[in-house]
């Protein structure tokens, strides 16, 4: 065309038929520039890089439309910078899919485009990268994916792990067996790791996230063996140096720390300690260790390998810890304290930080009171291995009639007052029961279930309410949930058609509380695909009929909208699979409003007041001129009521017209805006 002269071009166009002109105007292959057409040959990625107005969007939309028409594309991904960008540019834009494919229908609620041939395009967003995985698309159109962040032009590759304990790293393998790894491996520190076999790994360098310091692996130095050397002119391996300061000094042979006519002082500084662990019996303060302890001394820690007698004849033994120190007496067998056997009865009086008895301990001596009074934030804990007593009431049975406890725990708790005040009962089955005394039963069954949480009452006390106080638009909520996991806290995906939650409305039928009059069920919709973060759902409304059958009446879901399940005799409005709105009576459709995408014109029906005598069916909408079309089906016809010839012919004769009106059998009566009746013969 461009090679023709203007005159030849004009003659060529003038000779085209209307259909040929229409085809030429819609032929993308004719109008497109070469770079707007998909490359020939076998390729996987086509990058169309151009500025604004280069025709990138039109090229992508035409490529998708042509692939759908040819049957090559069935499952398509439409990826925009955001969902809004994909909709406003790639789908509804001036050069988008809806402008080049007249069989495409956009479903914004489902974020997808459907074609009559069955092809589906799913709308995805580049800012939700995880949502792109798992769809098994055969073709992808990504339009105007931004580079950098915030318009700076920077490009950054990001590896993001779910939590600190997960891994985000680069793994280097030898024949698919790991040999080196760099990254966040199991924590938030940066690791350089190596492995000889892919199973055993060694950290070579670790960069600590909290400090930025690097830890470099090196061989551990466990000991230094010096044989024949000297420290302070004293041979190692024979006797220790006469003087010196050592962090650790280990003698390979016997070490004598008590030279003749000299004192040996072991004085650790700060929080250091002195540990004396002779392999055999040694001596300290001229008293054999392992036999009896020293007659006097101050020790941070003193451990005897044998029997230790802390009560020498005619002498008192005083154990007085300082500060927050404690004295722990744990005899292997019955010993003595204040001349009272441990494991038998406790001392008559005393103040103890901790007192533990190996056997029975009686805290209620005859004619004496036992007082347990912790100070400050201290508490008293009573945990008998079997039923004990407190205030002469058995622990593990009923609680005391009156008491104040910081913490009280029992196997079964119940307020045993006999008054009609509100009671709370947590029974051994793990149920919580609330209501006036005697207002409920632990075996009460409502709607076929013994609920874990029951509230009973004769007034508003039986009501339940949730109130959320927050400076936000969020109100209180109640969640009904379901998991197929058999263990609490574990996970197992629900299946399609599983119940997610049920609200039963039951009543007393004179015998039981199990009769359900109405029900609302939340389901995972049958046939739906369940994945992480996606459970296609459905609400089912049911009610009991006069025969006692609980009948599903309506279903609501995101695909079919509101759908009637059980047909009733009264008129109702429902939707069908073609997204049309049906008016039904007795199970039959009497009137249907069909769905039209992007509709701006419509029919408007208007009634009239008493005496006006006019009901109107008119076209309305945004266009200036709108036709009203009555279309019969098949060989049917549009039928209008006619007027018999007799009265019309008489009326016409009285007006004076002559001719063949007397031979016309029926007439159409038409009234104009001023109310004048006109007659049109029906032949």
């Amino acid at each position: 065309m461009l090679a023709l002269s203007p005159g030849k071009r004009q003659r060529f166009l003038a000779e085209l038929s209307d259909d040929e002109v229409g085809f030429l105007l819609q032929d993308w292959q004719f109008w497109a520039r070469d770079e707007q057409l998909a490359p020939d040959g076998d390729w996987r990625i086509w990058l169309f890089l151009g500025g604004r107005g280069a025709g990138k969007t039109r090229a992508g939309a035409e490529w998708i439309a042509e692939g759908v028409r040819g049957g090559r594309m069935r499952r398509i991904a439409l990826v925009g910078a955001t969902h809004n960008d994909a909709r406003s540019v790639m789908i509804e834009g001036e050069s988008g899919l809806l402008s080049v494919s007249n069989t495409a229908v956009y479903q914004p609620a489902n974020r997808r485009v459907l074609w009559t041939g069955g092809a589906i395009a799913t709308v995805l967003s580049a800012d939700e990268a995880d949502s792109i995985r798992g769809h098994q698309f055969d073709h992808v159109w990504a339009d105007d994916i931004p580079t950098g962040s915030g318009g700076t032009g920077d490009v950054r590759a990001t590896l993001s792990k779910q939590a600190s304990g997960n891994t985000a790293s680069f793994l280097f393998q030898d024949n698919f067996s790991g040999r080196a790894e760099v990254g966040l491996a199991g924590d938030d520190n940066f690791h350089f790791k190596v492995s000889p076999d892919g199973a055993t790994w060694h950290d070579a360098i670790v960069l600590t996230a909290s400090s930025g310091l690097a830890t470099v692996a090196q061989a551990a130095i466990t000991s230094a063996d010096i044989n024949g050397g000297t420290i302070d002119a004293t041979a190692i391996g024979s006797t220790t140096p006469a003087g010196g300061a050592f962090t650790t000094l280990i003698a390979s042979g016997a070490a004598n720390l008590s030279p003749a006519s000299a004192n040996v002082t072991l004085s650790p500084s700060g929080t250091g300690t002195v540990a004396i662990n002779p392999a055999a019996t040694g001596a300290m303060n001229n008293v054999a260790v392992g036999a009896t302890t020293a007659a006097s001394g101050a020790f941070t820690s003193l451990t005897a390998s044998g029997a230790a007698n802390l009560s020498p004849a005619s002498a008192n033994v005083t154990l007085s810890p300082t500060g927050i120190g404690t004295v722990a007496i744990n005899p292997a067998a019955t010993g003595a304290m204040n001349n009272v056997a441990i494991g038998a009865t406790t001392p008559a009086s005393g103040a103890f930080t901790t007192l533990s008895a190996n056997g029975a301990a009686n805290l209620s001596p005859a004619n004496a009171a036992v007082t347990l009074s912790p100070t400050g934030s201290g508490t008293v804990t009573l945990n008998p291995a079997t039923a004990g007593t407190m205030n002469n009431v058995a622990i593990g049975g009923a609680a005391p009639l009156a008491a104040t406890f910081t913490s009280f725990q029992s196997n079964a708790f119940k307020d045993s007052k006999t008054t009609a005040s509100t009671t709370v009962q947590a029974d051994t089955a793990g149920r919580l029961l609330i209501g006036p005394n005697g207002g409920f039963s632990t075996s009460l069954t409502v709607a076929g279930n013994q609920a874990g949480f029951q509230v009973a009452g004769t007034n508003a006390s039986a009501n339940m309410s949730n109130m959320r106080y927050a400076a936000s638009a969020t109100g209180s909520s109640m969640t009904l949930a379901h998991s197929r996991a058999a263990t609490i806290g574990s996970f197992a995906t629900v299946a399609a058609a599983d119940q997610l939650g049920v609200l039963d409305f039951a009543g007393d039928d004179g015998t039981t509380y199990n009769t359900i009059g109405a029900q609302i069920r939340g389901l995972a919709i049958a046939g739906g695909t369940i994945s992480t973060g996606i459970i296609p759902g459905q609400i089912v409304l049911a009610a009991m009929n006069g025969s006692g059958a609980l009948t599903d009446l309506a279903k609501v879901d995101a695909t079919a909208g509101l759908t009637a399940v059980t047909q009733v005799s009264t008129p109702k409005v429902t939707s069908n699979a073609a997204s049309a709105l049906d008016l039904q009576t007795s199970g039959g459709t009497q009137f249907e409003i069909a769905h039209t995408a992007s509709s701006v014109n419509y029919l408007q029906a208007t009634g009239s007041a008493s005496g006006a005598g006019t009901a109107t069916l008119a076209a309305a909408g945004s266009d200036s001129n709108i036709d009203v079309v009555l279309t019969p089906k098949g060989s049917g016809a549009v039928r209008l009521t006619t007027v018999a010839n007799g009265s019309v012919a008489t009326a016409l004769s009285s007006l004076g017209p002559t001719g063949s009106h007397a031979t016309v059998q029926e007439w159409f009566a038409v009234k104009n805006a001023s109310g004048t009746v006109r007659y049109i013969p029906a032949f």
Side-chain angles (χ1 to χ4, degrees):
M1 287 288 292
L2 295 178
L4 297 176
S5 64
K8 290 182 179 180
R9 189 183 306 125
Q10 186 174 3
R11 285 194 299 273
F12 172 77
L13 294 175
E15 294 173 356
L16 296 176
S17 66
D18 290 344
D19 290 341
E20 290 172 334
V21 171
F23 175 79
L24 192 61
L25 289 174
Q26 299 298 324
D27 185 14
W28 174 243
Q29 299 289 329
F30 177 78
W31 293 102
R33 304 191 310 277
D34 290 343
E35 62 269 20
Q36 289 181 291
L37 299 176
D40 295 330
D42 186 13
W43 52 269
R44 293 183 63 85
I45 299 175
W46 168 28
L47 172 63
F48 188 168
L49 184 62
R52 295 182 179 177
K56 302 185 297 297
T57 302
R58 179 65 182 273
E62 292 284 0
W63 175 62
I64 293 294
E66 192 276 332
V68 171
R69 286 193 296 270
R72 300 189 313 277
M73 299 184 185
R74 302 292 295 172
R75 295 183 61 83
I76 307 157
L78 303 178
V79 184
T82 65
H83 284 111
N84 186 58
D85 290 335
R87 174 177 179 172
S88 62
V89 177
M90 302 172 70
I91 300 173
E92 298 179 339
E94 182 178 357
S95 300
L97 280 173
L98 298 184
S99 70
V100 302
S101 180
N102 56 11
T103 62
V105 177
Y106 177 44
Q107 294 182 341
N110 296 326
R111 292 180 175 175
R112 63 183 182 181
V113 179
L114 304 180
W115 281 268
T116 54
I120 301 176
T122 302
V123 183
L124 300 170
S125 170
D127 61 3
E128 296 177 1
D130 286 345
S131 67
I132 300 178
R133 298 183 299 180
H135 293 277
Q136 297 182 334
F137 296 115
D138 50 52
H139 289 80
V140 177
W141 172 26
D143 184 74
D144 197 19
I145 302 301
T147 60
S149 175
T152 63
D154 295 336
V155 178
R156 174 181 296 161
T158 301
L159 299 179
S160 179
K161 60 181 182 176
Q162 182 177 358
S164 176
N166 297 114
T167 294
S169 65
F170 291 98
L171 181 65
F172 301 88
Q173 295 183 319
D174 181 356
N175 193 25
F176 300 103
S177 177
R179 289 297 181 269
E181 184 176 12
V182 179
L184 307 179
D187 54 31
D188 289 336
N189 300 323
F190 196 80
H191 296 255
F192 292 83
K193 304 174 68 174
V194 292
S195 173
D197 53 11
T200 303
W201 289 86
H202 306 286
D203 277 314
I205 301 176
V206 179
L207 303 180
T208 305
S210 59
S211 64
L213 299 178
T215 301
V216 180
Q218 60 182 358
I221 300 175
T222 59
S223 64
D225 188 7
I226 303 176
N227 293 309
T230 60
I231 298 179
D232 291 340
T234 302
I236 302 299
S238 56
T239 57
T240 58
F246 311 103
T247 302
T248 301
L249 179 61
I250 300 176
S252 59
N256 184 2
L257 296 182
S258 299
S261 304
N263 293 324
V264 176
T265 303
L266 302 176
S267 302
S269 60
T271 60
T273 61
V274 173
I276 301 177
N277 298 308
T281 301
M284 181 175 65
N285 288 348
N286 295 322
V287 177
V289 175
T292 57
T293 59
S296 64
F299 309 102
T300 302
S301 177
L302 179 61
T303 303
S305 58
N309 184 3
L310 296 181
S311 299
S314 304
N316 292 325
V317 175
T318 303
L319 302 177
S320 302
T322 60
I324 58 173
T326 61
V327 174
I329 301 177
N330 297 308
T334 301
M337 180 175 67
N338 288 349
N339 296 321
V340 178
I342 303 298
T345 57
T346 58
S349 64
F352 310 101
T353 301
T354 300
L355 179 61
S356 300
N358 292 331
N362 184 3
L363 296 181
S364 299
N367 301 320
V370 176
T371 302
L372 302 177
S373 302
T375 60
S377 59
T379 61
V380 174
T381 302
L382 300 177
N383 294 312
T386 57
T389 59
M390 180 173 65
N391 290 350
N392 296 322
V393 179
I395 303 299
L401 294 180
T404 300
F405 307 102
T406 302
S407 176
F408 184 75
Q409 178 177 343
S410 66
N411 292 331
F413 170 72
K414 180 178 179 181
D415 185 345
S416 60
K417 294 180 181 179
T418 58
T419 63
S421 61
T422 300
T423 61
V424 178
Q425 177 175 335
D427 63 15
T428 55
R431 295 176 297 179
L432 180 62
L433 312 176
I434 301 176
N437 185 47
F440 52 74
S441 169
T442 56
S443 61
L444 177 65
T445 300
V446 177
N449 299 293
Q450 289 189 7
F453 176 64
Q454 296 181 22
V455 179
T458 58
N459 49 35
S461 64
N463 297 342
M464 292 188 296
S465 63
N466 295 342
M467 177 63 72
R468 177 173 180 169
Y469 296 88
S472 67
T474 304
S476 60
S477 64
M478 180 173 66
T479 301
L480 305 179
H482 174 212
S483 171
R484 279 185 171 250
T487 304
I488 295 176
S490 58
F491 296 94
T493 305
V494 295
D498 277 4
Q499 289 186 357
L500 303 181
V502 179
L503 291 178
D504 287 329
F505 301 88
D508 183 350
D509 61 4
T511 303
T512 70
Y513 307 110
N514 296 332
T515 303
I516 301 174
Q519 185 181 80
I520 300 175
R521 300 195 305 276
L523 308 176
I525 191 170
T529 300
I530 299 173
S531 60
T532 301
I534 300 176
I535 301 180
Q538 185 180 70
I539 295 295
V540 178
L541 304 180
M544 181 174 286
N545 59 25
S547 301
L550 190 63
T551 306
D552 290 349
L553 300 179
K555 297 180 179 179
V556 182
D557 58 64
T559 302
L562 175 63
T563 305
V565 177
T566 302
Q567 306 293 341
V568 294
S569 59
T570 57
K572 63 180 179 179
V573 178
T574 185
S575 60
N576 59 30
S579 300
L581 190 64
D582 292 347
L583 177 60
Q584 298 179 349
T585 58
S586 300
T589 299
Q590 309 299 326
F591 186 77
E592 180 175 279
I593 301 175
H595 170 71
T596 301
S598 305
S599 175
V600 297
N601 301 319
Y602 52 91
L603 279 176
Q604 184 179 72
T606 306
S608 64
S610 176
T614 302
T616 304
L617 183 64
S622 61
D623 290 351
S624 300
N625 301 300
I626 307 171
D627 293 337
V628 176
V629 180
L630 300 177
T631 304
K633 181 178 180 180
S635 60
V638 177
R639 303 179 63 180
L640 301 174
T641 302
T642 60
V643 180
N645 180 54
S647 59
V648 177
T650 302
L652 293 177
S653 299
S654 66
L655 296 175
T658 60
S660 60
H661 63 268
T663 64
V664 178
Q665 298 302 313
E666 292 181 319
W667 302 78
F668 293 110
V670 181
K671 183 182 292 185
N672 62 16
S674 62
T676 303
V677 179
R678 307 295 186 186
Y679 295 95
I680 302 173
F683 295 100

